[in-house]
Amino acid sequence: MFTKRTDLALEAQELWQESAEKTTKLEGVKAEKCRLEGYGLTRVEILDDRGEAALGKPRGTYLTLDLTGFWQRKDGFFDRAVRAVGGQLKQLIPEEGSVLVIALGNAAMTPDAIGVLAADSVLVTRHLISAMPRHFSGFRPVAVQRTGVLGTTGIESAEAVRGLVAQVQPTLVIAVDALASRRTERVCATVQLSDTGIVPGSGVGNHRAALNRETLGVPVISIGVPTVVDAATLAADLLEDAGMTPGETQLKQSRQNLMVTPRDIDAQVRDLGKVIGYGINWALQDLEIEEMNALLS
Amino acid sequence: MFTKRTDLALEAQELWQESAEKTTKLEGVKAEKCRLEGYGLTRVEILDDRGEAALGKPRGTYLTLDLTGFWQRKDGFFDRAVRAVGGQLKQLIPEEGSVLVIALGNAAMTPDAIGVLAADSVLVTRHLISAMPRHFSGFRPVAVQRTGVLGTTGIESAEAVRGLVAQVQPTLVIAVDALASRRTERVCATVQLSDTGIVPGSGVGNHRAALNRETLGVPVISIGVPTVVDAATLAADLLEDAGMTPGETQLKQSRQNLMVTPRDIDAQVRDLGKVIGYGINWALQDLEIEEMNALLS
Amino acid sequence: MFTKRTDLALEAQELWQESAEKTTKLEGVKAEKCRLEGYGLTRVEILDDRGEAALGKPRGTYLTLDLTGFWQRKDGFFDRAVRAVGGQLKQLIPEEGSVLVIALGNAAMTPDAIGVLAADSVLVTRHLISAMPRHFSGFRPVAVQRTGVLGTTGIESAEAVRGLVAQVQPTLVIAVDALASRRTERVCATVQLSDTGIVPGSGVGNHRAALNRETLGVPVISIGVPTVVDAATLAADLLEDAGMTPGETQLKQSRQNLMVTPRDIDAQVRDLGKVIGYGINWALQDLEIEEMNALLS
Amino acid sequence: MFTKRTDLALEAQELWQESAEKTTKLEGVKAEKCRLEGYGLTRVEILDDRGEAALGKPRGTYLTLDLTGFWQRKDGFFDRAVRAVGGQLKQLIPEEGSVLVIALGNAAMTPDAIGVLAADSVLVTRHLISAMPRHFSGFRPVAVQRTGVLGTTGIESAEAVRGLVAQVQPTLVIAVDALASRRTERVCATVQLSDTGIVPGSGVGNHRAALNRETLGVPVISIGVPTVVDAATLAADLLEDAGMTPGETQLKQSRQNLMVTPRDIDAQVRDLGKVIGYGINWALQDLEIEEMNALLS
């Protein structure tokens, strides 16, 4: 059977629900929805083995913010999104300690650049605190690593991160990456935060070694945005729209290498990158958005 | 009925052929295929009113080069593509006189950047010939205009080109732009040359005023590359693959704004832009590809 | 004698004053200084032939804003600079009518990119007003032309502008370009506004045909920022610092092609480009800076 | 006394020679000049403590290639430069074993981007050999690290490199960076190769912890290009041109933050980056330049 590919726990849960035979309750999973800063928030908790098996994801907390409304650009849309992302992130992390932000993905390929764009909006403080501890005593130490991608480095992101974690010894890692979604309407309209780590490159390429507490020895929070849907997923969506059962959707060879993105992907990825970078600052530093503007301009 | 959108005369002809009832000959159109430098070439000539009505395009010559093999990067793939594009272009243009190359599209949006990327590989000589006529007597005068797009200029490309043609008074205009194709397999794998001019922006946006001999007063050759397929076209392709008749394919609101591109669109558009720029040099100047490399590096 | 090259009327006046023999009053020139939004402002008016001859610039008004304090990033530095530039610009222009903003210079060469960067922050409205006149009735029509540079277009900026002015028929042209300064301390720390037009390319290259009321038939306001000092000017400055008279400073062949810029020229040019673009919006549209942020993000 | 700042051993030697009192032989240093592929080559060997003390650099071999002629673009200028850099590099390194190429510097700041631009032309093979050992058995394993700069990472380059060397365990490190020169005519016209390692950031910023055999545990070859001269150095050069003794050249506060670069620094850095990247391929892989073009395009 055709398996729609998704990195979103929310969608894994939806897929489970959709299966015709599953009228029973999903055991080992707790899900709830609410509104936050004008955006929708879904909280999925995978509690035990049954939940892990049902949704195909490790146990932990998955927060999915629906930013569809962001693109209507209504009053305070940017600041509200930053507070929503930052506020949720704050709940997932310890209150103190140094942080290493990992920007995964390929800056030269628009839909895969979200991590690097987010990192460019993160306030980097580790070196300043180290050089002038008294002046920067009000800041939490933050460093940033842009791993690059295998094709241009020859090095798995996980290898590069392990090497740096051993040197920098952060108390927390926050990794930002592009994700794959199964629903075209979620592309560039969703942010997922999770305390279960991440598998780099799942958004646009092959699975690589995971970044999580087991492999790095410190908690790993992941922040992901679906920026692309593969053609097979769009195909299945379209067939469903037409009232058909996708069944085994096979794409011709010549269509395998296609991706589906919003027409203004460049602008959307840039804007969401800034939301995430500022959200990280919101969670880590005691700063107003106005102040971030001044410090990062 | 759903009309697949295409800028390619070759595809307009295919669509005509596909229509079940049309077992008769297509009057007013001449089409032939051959091989050129290892690539396939289709020559469609629309000869009269009947041909115009059948294919929905103005009469004239449409040359479509199939560069699918380019991406296998076999021996001499780049030089062969340049000679193929340049050689065909040479047949469409007068042997002498100054040329204005118009780069249409949006440099900041990858699939729409092909015109600007091509222009960056065109040897610009007009000012050199004007300043040092004896030194540059061996070159044909070439100027380049990058029109930008309506959203960032407030000015229709056709307005901007008319203004400059009046000043520069070229004997020929060559306009390069992204096109829309109805077939995903032609995306970034096809170059169309035509002596009928072009409607700027047809690749990714709305139709604008035409650039052709009527509006500009000089012959207008267009060179186009399909770099994107809209989601509706992919939908129709997929349904056909599945043996269904697309009929009226309607995309949900949330999918209207999606485009389908190759995964490595950035690299593909860059490479094809260079092929076209060098092809224009090949047709206009008496230079080897090696010499272009030296002059343009 | 060595003549320090300057595009700033303020500096032309200083040079005049410095000449040993000129203890007399500078006739035909009125100059006054004041503070504006926390920045220094010098207003030089060249009133007649005597003033033109003394300063080597056409008669008209030259406003020079000293933004040295901008880089200390004190409270409201950005908004104050926008209001200062925008407020002064407003005094130089008619209250109504359509505007064509000309971005001169080379986007690919950092110190010459100020015009293009400013243009990227200008609210482009002409096409919107034309398409939806009722919705956009509150805006003044603004179009933007990025002329590119001779080396990549083969076309003088003045030719390109004349062609477009004939098509678009604006009531006012505002041209933005990089300038040359004679003082290193003014580099990236000064904005000059003038109602006398501009000679494109004076900042980094040769003099070209002028853009002014005579050549374009409409008023031309120029906005310029010195972003670079040539090595000869630095040499003269340095010799003066050392208490010597520069006399005839000759640079060796191998040093002719050098330019002097701030170390963080990339960031400085980007920031000043935004100040100018927002300043133009401030003068032309009835908008708060906050609103520009929302419309231009 | 004013000390001209230089990263070039060749210049350190020249400075030593220039000192009026030093008419004696420079002990502990061997220097020789020759021609290579049409370019000048100077080989300075610092042999012992006396040489180290005299030139202020660690003992080892310093090869300086004079690429002034490169910019005349005479026949084969690019290929000859690649062979010259690659051939000399080959003599400094072991014949076998995996290599980690370190790109130091700031990709977003033109004169500091040489390392990253070089890395973009290096053939990255480590992951391919690892995934398909039989297919890529003809290649030497090469990985690339782009360290970024302290201001945007919070991490010293040396820390980042140590972390990755521990993971990847190369047998050799090649580090590429921008250098400072004391002579304006050497800017963008010189490549220095050395087997003594490198101090990251010496080209445009403060000294950081060294990358060399002591700190990394493997041989470290450095490749550097002077891309910038500081204003004080230019000042001293200019005074000398004028026949004066620089003595204590003091730059005013307002001139401290200036750098001097060629006017077309963007193009020059890009071209030299490619020469170095290809030179590294020439030394490491058994490939013709033509083949590199095909693999890297």
Side-chain angles (χ1 to χ4, degrees), chain A residues 17-226:
Chain A
Q17 300 289 6
E18 283 167 16
S19 324
E21 67 271 34
K22 276 163 194 164
T23 49
T24 53
K25 195 175 169 307
L26 175 49
E27 300 284 351
V29 175
K30 208 172 102 184
E32 52 191 28
K33 286 170 187 284
C34 66
R35 299 289 292 176
L36 186 67
E37 298 280 358
Y39 298 110
L41 176 74
T42 308
R43 182 185 182 96
V44 173
E45 276 177 273
I46 300 182
L47 303 166
D48 57 25
D49 289 2
R50 293 169 303 171
E52 288 191 339
L55 301 196
K57 307 214 166 285
R59 76 189 68 184
T61 302
Y62 300 84
L63 305 169
T64 310
L65 206 56
D66 178 356
L67 295 183
T68 308
F70 186 88
W71 302 113
Q72 297 159 18
R73 301 184 171 280
K74 288 197 185 144
D75 225 32
F77 70 99
F78 179 80
D79 289 16
R80 288 188 283 111
V82 169
R83 289 193 303 261
V85 169
Q88 292 303 301
L89 178 56
K90 208 165 184 172
Q91 295 188 12
L92 294 178
I93 64 175
E95 266 181 46
E96 293 199 339
S98 65
V99 178
L100 177 61
V101 175
I102 307 290
L104 297 162
N106 188 349
M109 206 173 127
T110 308
D112 201 23
I114 188 89
V116 175
L117 290 167
D120 290 347
S121 288
V122 168
L123 200 64
V124 179
T125 57
R126 178 177 179 264
H127 59 305
L128 301 172
I129 295 168
S130 163
M132 294 168 281
R134 272 190 320 128
H135 291 82
F136 289 88
S137 62
F139 291 89
R140 189 163 174 174
V142 176
V144 166
Q145 182 181 26
R146 294 158 184 85
T147 59
V149 285
L150 192 58
T152 63
T153 63
I155 300 159
E156 294 282 355
S157 294
E159 285 182 277
V161 174
R162 276 198 305 272
L164 198 63
V165 165
Q167 285 284 325
V168 170
Q169 304 206 308
T171 61
L172 173 71
V173 163
I174 300 175
V176 188
D177 202 2
L179 301 179
S181 164
R182 58 167 283 235
R183 292 231 159 258
T184 49
E185 59 263 41
R186 289 216 175 89
V187 169
C188 290
T190 307
V191 177
Q192 174 177 277
L193 298 98
S194 157
D195 59 3
T196 61
I198 195 165
V199 182
S202 58
V204 291
N206 298 325
H207 282 255
R208 316 251 179 263
L211 300 178
N212 55 35
R213 189 192 286 262
E214 283 68 49
T215 59
L216 295 183
V218 293
V220 179
I221 306 296
S222 68
I223 306 181
V225 175

Side-chain angles (χ1 to χ4, degrees), chain C residues 21-123:
Chain C
E21 67 272 31
K22 276 162 194 165
T23 49
T24 52
K25 194 174 170 305
L26 174 49
E27 300 285 350
V29 175
K30 209 173 101 184
E32 50 190 32
K33 285 170 188 284
C34 66
R35 299 288 294 174
L36 185 68
E37 298 280 358
Y39 298 110
L41 175 74
T42 307
R43 182 185 182 97
V44 174
E45 276 178 272
I46 300 183
L47 302 166
D48 55 27
D49 289 2
R50 293 168 304 172
E52 289 192 338
L55 302 195
K57 304 211 168 288
R59 75 191 67 186
T61 302
Y62 300 83
L63 305 169
T64 310
L65 207 55
D66 178 357
L67 295 183
T68 307
F70 185 87
W71 303 112
Q72 297 160 20
R73 301 185 172 279
K74 289 198 184 141
D75 225 34
F77 69 99
F78 179 79
D79 290 16
R80 287 187 285 110
V82 169
R83 288 193 303 261
V85 169
Q88 291 303 302
L89 177 56
K90 208 164 184 174
Q91 295 187 12
L92 295 178
I93 63 174
E95 266 181 46
E96 294 199 336
S98 65
V99 179
L100 176 61
V101 175
I102 307 290
L104 297 163
N106 188 348
M109 205 174 129
T110 309
D112 200 23
I114 188 89
V116 176
L117 290 166
D120 291 347
S121 288
V122 168
L123 200 64

Side-chain angles (χ1 to χ4, degrees), chain D residues 13-269:
Chain D
Q13 186 217 4
E14 286 174 357
L15 284 169
W16 191 91
Q17 300 288 7
E18 284 168 16
S19 326
E21 67 272 32
K22 275 159 195 166
T23 49
T24 53
K25 196 176 169 303
L26 174 49
E27 301 283 352
V29 175
K30 209 174 100 185
E32 52 190 28
K33 286 170 188 285
C34 66
R35 298 288 295 175
L36 186 67
E37 298 279 358
Y39 298 110
L41 176 75
T42 308
R43 181 185 182 98
V44 174
E45 276 178 274
I46 300 183
L47 302 165
D48 56 26
D49 290 1
R50 293 169 303 173
E52 289 192 338
L55 301 195
K57 306 211 167 289
R59 77 190 66 186
T61 302
Y62 300 84
L63 305 169
T64 310
L65 207 55
D66 178 356
L67 295 183
T68 307
F70 186 86
W71 303 112
Q72 297 159 19
R73 302 184 170 281
K74 288 197 185 142
D75 226 34
F77 70 99
F78 179 81
D79 289 17
R80 287 187 285 111
V82 168
R83 289 192 304 261
V85 169
Q88 292 303 301
L89 177 57
K90 207 164 185 173
Q91 295 187 12
L92 295 178
I93 64 175
E95 265 181 48
E96 293 199 339
S98 65
V99 178
L100 176 61
V101 175
I102 308 290
L104 297 162
N106 187 348
M109 205 173 129
T110 309
D112 201 22
I114 188 89
V116 176
L117 289 167
D120 291 346
S121 288
V122 168
L123 200 63
V124 179
T125 56
R126 178 177 178 263
H127 59 305
L128 301 172
I129 295 168
S130 162
M132 294 168 281
R134 272 190 318 129
H135 291 82
F136 289 89
S137 63
F139 290 89
R140 189 163 174 174
V142 176
V144 167
Q145 182 181 26
R146 293 157 184 87
T147 60
V149 285
L150 192 57
T152 63
T153 64
I155 300 159
E156 294 282 355
S157 294
E159 285 182 276
V161 174
R162 277 199 302 273
L164 198 63
V165 165
Q167 285 284 324
V168 169
Q169 305 206 309
T171 61
L172 173 73
V173 163
I174 299 175
V176 187
D177 201 3
L179 300 180
S181 164
R182 59 166 283 235
R183 291 230 159 259
T184 48
E185 59 263 42
R186 289 215 175 89
V187 168
C188 290
T190 307
V191 177
Q192 174 176 276
L193 297 98
S194 156
D195 58 4
T196 62
I198 196 164
V199 182
S202 58
V204 292
N206 298 325
H207 283 254
R208 318 248 180 265
L211 300 178
N212 54 36
R213 188 192 286 260
E214 283 68 49
T215 60
L216 295 184
V218 293
V220 179
I221 305 295
S222 68
I223 305 181
V225 176
T227 55
V228 73
V229 162
D230 59 24
T233 298
L234 177 62
D237 274 7
L238 293 168
L239 290 170
E240 280 179 15
D241 288 358
M244 288 174 260
T245 325
E248 202 151 330
T249 303
Q250 283 176 327
L251 280 182
K252 272 197 186 167
Q253 180 74 33
S254 65
R255 278 154 207 156
Q256 298 259 349
N257 235 355
L258 298 173
M259 65 179 183
V260 184
T261 64
R263 283 187 187 274
D264 51 349
I265 177 80
D266 302 79
Q268 292 191 10
V269 166

Side-chain angles (χ1 to χ4, degrees), chain C residues 16-282:
Chain C
W16 191 91
Q17 300 288 6
E18 284 167 17
S19 325
E21 67 272 31
K22 276 162 194 165
T23 49
T24 52
K25 194 174 170 305
L26 174 49
E27 300 285 350
V29 175
K30 209 173 101 184
E32 50 190 32
K33 285 170 188 284
C34 66
R35 299 288 294 174
L36 185 68
E37 298 280 358
Y39 298 110
L41 175 74
T42 307
R43 182 185 182 97
V44 174
E45 276 178 272
I46 300 183
L47 302 166
D48 55 27
D49 289 2
R50 293 168 304 172
E52 289 192 338
L55 302 195
K57 304 211 168 288
R59 75 191 67 186
T61 302
Y62 300 83
L63 305 169
T64 310
L65 207 55
D66 178 357
L67 295 183
T68 307
F70 185 87
W71 303 112
Q72 297 160 20
R73 301 185 172 279
K74 289 198 184 141
D75 225 34
F77 69 99
F78 179 79
D79 290 16
R80 287 187 285 110
V82 169
R83 288 193 303 261
V85 169
Q88 291 303 302
L89 177 56
K90 208 164 184 174
Q91 295 187 12
L92 295 178
I93 63 174
E95 266 181 46
E96 294 199 336
S98 65
V99 179
L100 176 61
V101 175
I102 307 290
L104 297 163
N106 188 348
M109 205 174 129
T110 309
D112 200 23
I114 188 89
V116 176
L117 290 166
D120 291 347
S121 288
V122 168
L123 200 64
V124 179
T125 57
R126 178 175 177 264
H127 60 305
L128 301 171
I129 294 169
S130 161
M132 294 169 280
R134 273 189 319 126
H135 291 81
F136 288 89
S137 63
F139 290 89
R140 190 164 172 175
V142 176
V144 167
Q145 182 181 24
R146 293 157 183 86
T147 59
V149 285
L150 191 58
T152 63
T153 63
I155 300 160
E156 295 283 355
S157 295
E159 286 182 276
V161 174
R162 274 199 304 272
L164 198 62
V165 165
Q167 285 284 323
V168 169
Q169 304 206 309
T171 60
L172 173 72
V173 162
I174 299 174
V176 188
D177 201 3
L179 302 179
S181 164
R182 58 166 283 232
R183 292 231 159 258
T184 49
E185 58 263 41
R186 289 217 175 89
V187 169
C188 290
T190 307
V191 177
Q192 174 177 277
L193 298 98
S194 156
D195 58 3
T196 62
I198 195 165
V199 182
S202 59
V204 291
N206 298 324
H207 283 255
R208 315 249 180 263
L211 299 179
N212 55 35
R213 190 193 284 262
E214 283 67 49
T215 60
L216 296 184
V218 294
V220 180
I221 305 296
S222 68
I223 305 180
V225 176
T227 55
V228 72
V229 162
D230 58 25
T233 298
L234 177 62
D237 274 6
L238 294 168
L239 291 170
E240 281 178 12
D241 289 357
M244 288 174 259
T245 324
E248 203 152 329
T249 304
Q250 284 177 326
L251 280 182
K252 272 196 185 168
Q253 180 75 33
S254 65
R255 278 154 206 156
Q256 298 258 349
N257 234 356
L258 298 173
M259 65 180 181
V260 184
T261 64
R263 282 189 187 273
D264 51 350
I265 176 80
D266 301 80
Q268 292 192 11
V269 166
R270 190 193 59 214
D271 286 3
L272 291 176
K274 194 173 170 190
V275 166
I276 293 174
Y278 273 47
I280 291 173
N281 297 334
W282 182 266

